[in-house]
Amino acid sequence: MALARIAVHHKDANKKHSILNDLKTKIATPGNEVQASLALGELGKLLDLSTVANILNTVSALFKAPDESIRIAASISIGNISVGNPDFFLSKVFSLMDAAESSQKYLFLNTIREIIINNPKSLQQFIDKLLPLLIEQSKNQDEQIRSIVAENLGRLFIHYAVHMNSVLENSFRSPSALERATITKAFKYSSTKECNGHDLGYFTEYLIKMIGDADITVRRYALESLTAITHVHPEAVRNDSEAMQANALQMTRIDPSLIKEVDLGPFKHKIDDGIPIRKAAYALIDTMVERLPERMNSPMVTEVAIRGLEDTAEECMIQSLTLIHRMAAFAPIFVITQIEALIDSFNKQFTKNIGIVGTNDKAKNVMRSIIRVVEQLHRTPEIEGVTKFADFFKEKILDIPAAKDIFQNIATTAQRAVYSEHY
């Protein structure tokens, strides 16, 4: 990398040529292939290397290297070299891709990613050739490859939505769960300020439908993509927010069919495959409360969040507490209306965790999240006179040193945040 920077800024053309030749030599030297390939790519991103004879063939030869890290570095390098002069290199890159063995085609996914990140507009004339490759690889058994495909499709959608609509629609209907999951995940990468909200809104209905997909990975990706869209482009999901909210709330329930028991000999262990789905569902609801508060069924959201305190997974319980905290700030009256159930759940967690907060990180996370909600309610005018809360606050916060310390730290941080907002 240092050689690439030196070459770019060096005024002596001969010296630049010498550095370039040195990198080409190192590419063919065992042990130096990865570093030299990446350095050459960085150089090509900043300087036009179209006059260097056989530059693409030299680097692409590494696609046959036995070491996967070398192959990946070479594919990234070609992408960056292409950025330096896309008019010259891109047609050659796609010719290489067409001629490549089927086992090597996935390497071009890294090449394409580098081009999309640095110069997406340069791909316009190749989009019809590129999409079939991406769709083909969206069914690849390798999760890492599918992730790169999702990223590439998502980033391309920002600039080429019109060209991609029919292709994506077909993929949402694909019998392949891997393809459906990859396409669904792609919209996480489309959810940027650069993307047109109307383009994203066109696929909201498809993504909501994917929440009920038979495949649990598709469900999770649908929830995560909708969360990303809602955060950046809430207007894109506004018209479908009622259906989105209903589906997300349903996904917070524990699904017994997703819990399997594994026999480990002396004991049995339960594995809950539904945890990532529930966690993603809580995150989507929380984002909707933040970005589309007027569209939310606040009593129902609060009820579901409090029910989440009984979730057997710590990460889901923490997410439900995050949601309760937001509701306590946004619509405290609905939290106070259900204060009996909330305090009963808090008491259970205190009994279970307060004595071990000093030695158990899980207990500390749970107690801190609960006390964060308590602190928010404590400075809410509507809570005044609520006996159930007042008794809990005295017995469990003020009278227990460990809880009181956590409360005071949270309160101090909250006061600083309020002060900074006003000043």
Side-chain angles (χ1 to χ4, degrees):
M1 301 302 179
L3 278 176
R5 288 192 293 270
I6 292 171
V8 169
H9 297 291
H10 211 290
K11 295 180 180 180
D12 187 338
N14 290 329
K15 182 62 176 178
K16 288 184 179 181
H17 186 71
S18 174
I19 292 174
L20 182 59
N21 284 334
D22 184 38
L23 289 175
K24 287 182 66 179
T25 300
K26 285 185 176 180
I27 281 179
T29 305
N32 293 315
E33 300 98 331
V34 171
Q35 186 177 9
S37 294
L38 294 175
L40 189 61
E42 287 298 309
L43 179 61
K45 188 161 58 175
L46 300 170
L47 293 177
D48 179 4
L49 300 184
S50 59
T51 58
V52 180
N54 297 318
I55 185 71
L56 290 186
N57 290 333
T58 299
V59 181
S60 64
L62 295 178
F63 279 19
K64 297 181 180 180
D67 190 331
E68 175 74 0
S69 62
I70 295 174
R71 299 196 294 270
I72 294 297
S75 66
I76 292 171
S77 178
I78 289 177
N80 283 328
I81 290 171
S82 300
V83 171
N85 187 343
D87 291 338
F88 179 85
F89 283 115
L90 283 184
S91 60
K92 294 175 175 55
V93 168
F94 278 87
S95 293
L96 285 172
M97 186 174 73
D98 290 339
E101 299 173 12
S102 58
S103 61
Q104 295 176 355
K105 286 189 183 294
Y106 79 93
L107 291 167
F108 287 96
L109 299 174
N110 293 301
T111 299
I112 298 303
R113 178 169 58 182
E114 295 303 315
I115 297 169
I116 295 172
I117 290 172
N118 293 287
N119 189 359
K121 294 296 185 182
S122 66
L123 289 166
Q124 185 164 358
Q125 63 177 309
F126 301 99
I127 195 72
D128 291 334
K129 180 178 287 191
L130 178 57
L131 289 178
L133 169 70
L134 294 174
I135 297 304
E136 175 193 345
Q137 293 296 332
S138 72
K139 299 185 280 285
N140 197 298
Q141 292 295 321
D142 190 321
E143 184 179 356
Q144 286 186 314
I145 291 175
R146 297 197 306 274
S147 291
I148 298 173
V149 171
E151 181 180 351
N152 283 346
L153 285 168
R155 290 181 181 276
L156 280 173
F157 183 82
I158 296 170
H159 306 281
Y160 299 103
V162 174
H163 297 77
M164 299 173 66
N165 282 353
S166 61
V167 173
L168 296 177
E169 287 173 358
N170 289 335
S171 289
F172 274 120
R173 302 187 188 102
S174 171
S176 167
L178 294 178
E179 182 176 348
R180 295 197 306 276
T182 303
I183 300 309
T184 302
K185 184 179 182 178
F187 284 89
K188 285 178 63 176
Y189 298 99
S190 299
S191 304
T192 69
K193 291 181 179 179
E194 296 176 82
C195 196
N196 185 296
H198 177 75
D199 292 334
L200 289 169
Y202 180 82
F203 283 99
T204 297
E205 188 175 344
Y206 286 91
L207 291 168
I208 292 174
K209 185 178 180 180
M210 291 298 104
I211 295 176
D213 194 88
D215 184 82
I216 59 174
T217 303
V218 175
R219 285 183 236 167
R220 174 164 64 92
Y221 287 158
L223 291 162
E224 291 175 353
S225 287
L226 285 167
T227 299
I229 294 171
T230 303
H231 180 72
V232 181
H233 290 282
E235 74 285 353
V237 300
R238 187 179 300 277
N239 292 337
D240 296 300
S241 59
E242 185 176 346
M244 185 165 69
Q245 179 181 185
N247 279 273
L249 290 170
Q250 182 63 30
M251 288 297 110
T252 62
R253 292 186 176 276
I254 294 177
D255 185 348
S257 69
L258 297 179
I259 300 175
K260 55 189 177 185
E261 195 170 69
V262 180
D263 192 341
L264 298 178
F267 59 91
K268 293 182 178 180
H269 176 64
K270 287 185 177 181
I271 298 176
D272 186 353
D273 290 332
I275 291 174
I277 297 174
R278 299 201 301 277
K279 185 178 177 182
Y282 280 118
L284 174 54
I285 298 165
D286 185 58
T287 302
M288 290 183 72
V289 173
E290 177 190 13
R291 304 295 286 161
L292 295 166
E294 75 284 358
R295 308 289 290 187
M296 302 304 289
N297 182 339
S298 296
M300 179 63 73
V301 169
T302 305
E303 181 181 334
V304 166
I306 293 174
R307 186 189 69 210
L309 295 174
E310 304 300 320
D311 200 296
T312 52
E314 178 202 354
E315 52 263 59
C316 295
M317 187 199 310
I318 296 295
Q319 283 277 30
S320 73
L321 284 165
T322 299
L323 181 55
I324 295 169
H325 179 267
R326 191 177 296 283
M327 293 303 298
F330 161 63
I333 191 62
F334 296 109
V335 178
I336 293 170
T337 299
Q338 300 187 49
I339 200 71
E340 292 279 339
L342 181 64
I343 296 302
D344 286 345
S345 291
F346 280 2
N347 276 321
K348 290 179 185 177
Q349 294 301 328
F350 261 77
T351 300
K352 180 180 177 182
N353 294 297
I354 192 63
I356 55 174
V357 290
T359 57
N360 188 293
D361 288 340
K362 177 180 176 180
K364 185 175 182 180
N365 289 337
V366 171
M367 295 313 302
R368 181 171 177 79
S369 295
I370 288 174
I371 295 173
R372 185 166 171 257
V373 174
V374 172
E375 190 278 331
Q376 177 64 52
L377 288 171
H378 183 255
R379 54 190 169 92
T380 300
E382 291 89 342
I383 201 70
E384 188 174 346
V386 179
T387 305
K388 184 89 171 180
F389 180 81
D391 292 345
F392 172 84
F393 186 76
K394 181 182 183 304
E395 295 171 8
K396 294 298 193 292
I397 304 297
L398 297 182
D399 292 349
I400 299 178
K404 187 175 181 180
D405 286 345
I406 296 173
F407 177 85
Q408 288 176 336
N409 288 334
I410 292 172
T412 300
T413 302
Q415 288 169 1
R416 288 173 181 166
V418 171
Y419 181 85
S420 64
E421 285 179 7
H422 286 83
Y423 300 98

